Amino acid sequence: MAVEGFDYKAFAESMAEQAKELVPADLKDNEKAYIVKTLGNFTHLAGEALYNDEQLNLTPEQAVFVTQIIAEWSFHKSIDLIHSGILPQYWDGIMQKIAFTIFEIAKQAIIRNIPQEQLLQAVEVHVVKVYKESIDELQKKGVIDDEIKARAESQSNIDTMAQQAQAEQMRKQQEMAEQSVRNAEESQRRREEQRAKRDAEKSAARGVKVDTSQMITNKQMKLMSLALVLKVLSQDKVTTILNKFNSNDSLAISQYMNMANLESQLDGDLISDCLKDMRGVLPIKKVLTKENIISDLMTLYATQSRDSIERLLKKERSLVKRFVTKAYDGEYGEMPLKVAGIITEYLEENV
């Protein structure tokens, strides 16, 4: 019987709409249209075939999973073909081979009850293989030369998007750090103005003339406050933030970070404001529980593509992969809490 609850037409349309928002801006309109059309067609055909396959006896979730794999790879490899320099009349043939390969591998994986993580790995290996074989075939026929062949083989939009996502995350962290510095400077400036005003009023009451020109913003205090905050960040984040400063300020902050009595040198209000401003980039220490682990992983899955996570775990042990795969369904696998916490932290920092 058909896969009840799997609306392959609506799903294909949804995938095509999402593709419109993700196509690279450097492409021409006809190239963007080709990507969306190709993804939509293959997703629709694959979904329809799965929907009507009475032998597989798929669940709606399985049908969506397989169809989404085809949609994602159709998106990435069609972009690779466009960037490769291969003439458009050869694109469809290569894309059809890739889509058919994914469809057959996915079907066999479901029949043999192969875990999703292994299925994704097998699909990636065979997609790369079919893509390369197709390029080799075009070269043998004299359709492309060595230069275009090399350019085509070097394309990997799936890796490019992962790198862009990582760079965007790093950029946001840098902006947050810079804003925290500006906020801390402004808070310090206001406090010193208020302190200067109070001192001036007290001195005026005593008939003492005060040189308010000495009441200036203390840059050293600001750098020391930032150093205190950076002491709780990872080395990678510290390096990224320090690179935004000139060499003198960066060196000063590094020296302050190594001061044993740094806290005692700072104004308490300034420390508080700085820490509040930095709360967006500071790691929050949570109680290590199964619920918190799953909550953190589900949050990560909602913001990062599954492909990027799977690639990160490609060389990990099967136990780790199985634990992460179960977490996709909100289940906590067989893993000691401490180890699960380390895995979660690793994914959050590297995906």
Side-chain angles (χ1 to χ4, degrees), residues 163-179:
Q163 293 167 2
Q164 290 173 344
Q166 185 176 16
E168 178 64 14
Q169 183 181 16
M170 187 67 70
R171 183 188 65 79
K172 290 181 179 178
Q173 290 177 342
Q174 291 176 355
E175 288 181 351
M176 292 172 70
E178 291 169 3
Q179 184 61 46

Side-chain angles (χ1 to χ4, degrees), residues 29-228:
D29 289 342
N30 64 309
E31 295 171 336
K32 294 178 181 178
Y34 175 81
I35 295 169
V36 175
K37 180 181 178 181
T38 300
L39 180 149
N41 287 342
F42 286 154
T43 305
H44 184 280
L45 290 172
E48 183 177 22
L50 293 172
Y51 180 82
N52 294 317
D53 195 321
E54 298 181 355
Q55 295 181 340
L56 282 178
N57 193 28
L58 296 178
T59 65
E61 292 75 19
Q62 288 174 319
V64 167
F65 179 65
V66 173
T67 311
Q68 186 170 2
I69 295 175
I70 292 176
E72 291 178 353
W73 277 109
S74 296
F75 177 81
H76 292 303
K77 297 318 288 183
S78 58
I79 292 176
D80 289 346
L81 282 174
I82 292 172
H83 283 152
S84 71
I86 295 174
L87 294 175
Q89 57 260 42
Y90 301 105
W91 295 350
D92 283 347
I94 297 176
M95 292 304 303
Q96 288 168 6
K97 292 178 183 178
I98 290 174
F100 178 78
T101 298
I102 297 173
F103 187 78
E104 290 302 313
I105 290 175
K107 283 179 58 176
Q108 290 302 314
I110 292 172
I111 292 172
R112 295 163 56 189
N113 198 29
I114 293 176
Q116 289 185 359
E117 62 196 64
Q118 295 182 21
L119 165 59
L120 291 171
Q121 292 173 6
V123 165
E124 181 174 3
V125 169
H126 282 83
V127 166
V128 173
K129 180 181 178 184
V130 170
Y131 179 74
K132 187 177 185 305
E133 288 176 346
S134 300
I135 294 171
D136 289 340
E137 185 178 345
L138 290 179
Q139 185 193 36
K140 291 177 182 178
K141 291 181 179 180
V143 174
I144 62 175
D145 56 21
D146 291 341
E147 182 180 352
I148 293 180
K149 178 177 182 293
R151 187 193 310 163
E153 290 178 341
S154 68
Q155 301 300 318
S156 181
N157 186 70
I158 191 170
D159 291 330
T160 299
M161 286 190 67
Q163 293 167 2
Q164 290 173 344
Q166 185 176 16
E168 178 64 14
Q169 183 181 16
M170 187 67 70
R171 183 188 65 79
K172 290 181 179 178
Q173 290 177 342
Q174 291 176 355
E175 288 181 351
M176 292 172 70
E178 291 169 3
Q179 184 61 46
S180 72
V181 173
R182 290 193 292 270
N183 292 342
E185 290 177 344
E186 179 62 20
S187 296
Q188 175 69 359
R189 184 188 64 78
R190 288 197 301 267
R191 273 194 301 275
E192 292 184 348
E193 286 180 351
Q194 293 171 359
R195 187 179 298 117
K197 183 178 180 181
R198 289 195 301 269
D199 292 344
E201 290 173 348
K202 291 178 181 178
S203 298
R206 295 194 303 265
V208 179
K209 186 177 181 180
V210 178
D211 183 5
T212 56
S213 65
Q214 299 301 315
M215 303 295 181
I216 61 174
T217 301
N218 192 329
K219 182 177 181 179
Q220 185 180 33
M221 287 285 287
K222 298 167 192 170
L223 296 181
M224 292 171 71
S225 298
L226 179 59
L228 180 64

